[in-house]
Amino acid sequence: MISKPRGTMDIMPEETPLWRFIENTVRETASKYGYEEIRTPTFESTELFARGVGDSTDVVQKEMYTFEDREHRSFTLRPEGTASVVRALIENGRCSDAMPLRLYYLISCFRYEKPQAGRSREFFQFGTEMFGSADPSADATVISLANEIIGSLGIKDAVLHINSIGCPECRPGYRKALVDYFTDYSGELCDSCRERLKTNPLRILDCKSPVCSEIAKKAPKMIDYLCGECKDHFESLTEYLSSMGIRYEIDPYIVRGLDYYTRTVFEFISGSIGAQSTVCGGGRYDGLMKELGGPDLPGIGFAMGLTRLILAMKASGAELPASAAPAVYFCTMGKEAVKYALSKVAVLREKGIYADCDIVGRSVKSQMKYADKIKARYAVVIGDNELQAGKAVLKDMIQGSSKEVELKELWKEFV
Ligand code: HAM
C-alpha cells in the first residue's frame, strides 16, 4: 500500500462541492473589485523566494521544498504566491500597465511544516495582489475585499487584526530598540531567536516558543516608532476602515512571517479553529518589486488558506453545499426499456437536467435502492407494458408518493 506524502490531502468527491463553492465565491467577489486571474509556475528559481520572501525567514530557512534539476539548477516548489506574481509582472513587461493593477490566484503552495489541523505541507491559497497605489484607501479596499469574502462564506467569528511595521525610514530605529530589549534576555531566548537577534530581530516577535513569546509580550512596539508618514498612513487606514463599517483590532505584535512587508500588515483570526487560527494574512510590500529587479511600484495583498476557511465555515455553522443529485433516475426492465431510458436520459441532459438510468444490469429492486442512495429526486420505472401504454409511474423519492404520467409529458416534471 503506497500512502500519500505526510502533510498532503486527498479531497474526496463529497468534499469538492464545498471547495468549488469557496473557489466560485472568491473568484466572483474578486472580479467585482476589478481583479483578474493570473497563473504562474508551481516551481520557480530558488533565488526568487530567497530574495523575495527573505533569507532569514523560517519559510526560506526551514520550510522550502528545494531540488536540483538534471542540469543542477536549484528550484523550489512555491511556498507562497506574491513573489511569483511580482516576477511575472516584471518578466512580462506589465509594470507600465494602467494602475492600479489587480490580480488574484488560486494555487497550491508547499511548506515543510509540522502538519496539524489547518496546517499541511501542500496547502491551497486564494491570494490577491494590487500594484500601483501607495494610498491608504488602497489598503482599506484590499481589506474590505478580504472582509467581504469571509462574510460571504458564512464565517462569523473572524476578527481583523491590523498593525503597521513601518518603512525603511523608521524601522532601523525600532530594530535597534528591539535588539536593546532582547539582548537583556539573550540567555533565555531559544537558539533560533539568539540567531535572529543578529539577523532579523523582528522575527523574535513571531517565535512560537513559550519563553520567547512571554519575553516578546513586553517588547517595544513598532507603532511607537513610526515616522510621520507611516503614522499618517496608519491613521488614515483606521479612519477609512471605520467609515466603511469594518471592525478591527490594532495588534502591535503582528509582524507576519515574510520579510517583504512595509507599513500595513493584517490578519483575520478565527477563535474557533485551534492553533492555526489565521484564515487570512496580508499586507503592504512597497519595496518588493524593486528588490526583484522591477520599477519602484508599491503593492499590497493577502492570501487565505482554503482548509482554514473550511474549518472556520464549519465552526460558524455555515450552510455547506451538498453534492449534486439526479433530478430523475430511470429504473428499467428489459432491453426496450433500456433503449428508451438511454435516449430519454440523453434528451434530458441536453436540456441541462441531471438524469441517469441503470447501466449495470441490476434488478429493479436494486435499481430503486440505488436511486435512493444517490438521492435521486424522482424515479421512473419502465418495462414493456409501460412503453406500450405510453405511460409510466413516477415516484417522488422525498415524499414517497407515486403518480402515473404520460411518457411524452414526462420531461416537464423535471424542469
Ligand atoms: P502567509 O501568511 O504565509 O502569507 O499565508 C497566507 C495564508 O495561507 C495563512 O493565513 C493561512 O491561512 C494559509 N497558510 C499558510 N501556511 C499554511 C499551511 N502550512 N497550511 C495551511 N494553510 C496555510 C502569504 O503567503 C502571503 N503571500 C500573503 C500575501 C499576499 N501578502 C501579500 N500578498
Side-chain angles (χ1 to χ4, degrees), residues 19-65:
W19 284 76
R20 269 204 310 279
F21 169 72
I22 296 175
E23 287 158 9
N24 292 341
T25 304
V26 298
R27 281 179 193 284
E28 281 164 20
T29 317
S31 302
K32 276 197 314 187
Y33 281 70
Y35 284 76
E36 289 181 299
E37 185 178 5
I38 183 166
R39 300 189 186 197
T40 59
T42 308
F43 63 96
E44 298 266 8
S45 290
T46 302
E47 199 195 340
L48 175 68
F49 302 116
R51 263 173 51 199
V53 172
D55 262 330
S56 59
T57 58
D58 278 0
V59 170
V60 170
Q61 294 229 316
K62 303 183 190 161
E63 296 168 5
M64 294 209 299
Y65 278 90

Side-chain angles (χ1 to χ4, degrees), residues 59 79-82 105 111 113 118-125 127-129 256-258 260-261 267 278-285 300-308:
V59 170
E80 60 105 49
T82 311
Y105 47 86
R111 293 184 196 175
E113 291 188 275
R119 188 163 76 192
S120 48
R121 290 181 174 168
E122 180 185 20
F123 60 98
F124 301 89
Q125 264 192 357
T128 75
E129 314 295 351
R256 313 271 306 122
L258 315 161
Y260 45 63
Y261 292 111
E267 292 183 346
T278 308
V279 291
C280 171
R284 183 166 273 292
Y285 46 88
I300 178 166
F302 64 79
M304 300 174 165
L306 268 60
T307 23
R308 294 192 196 173

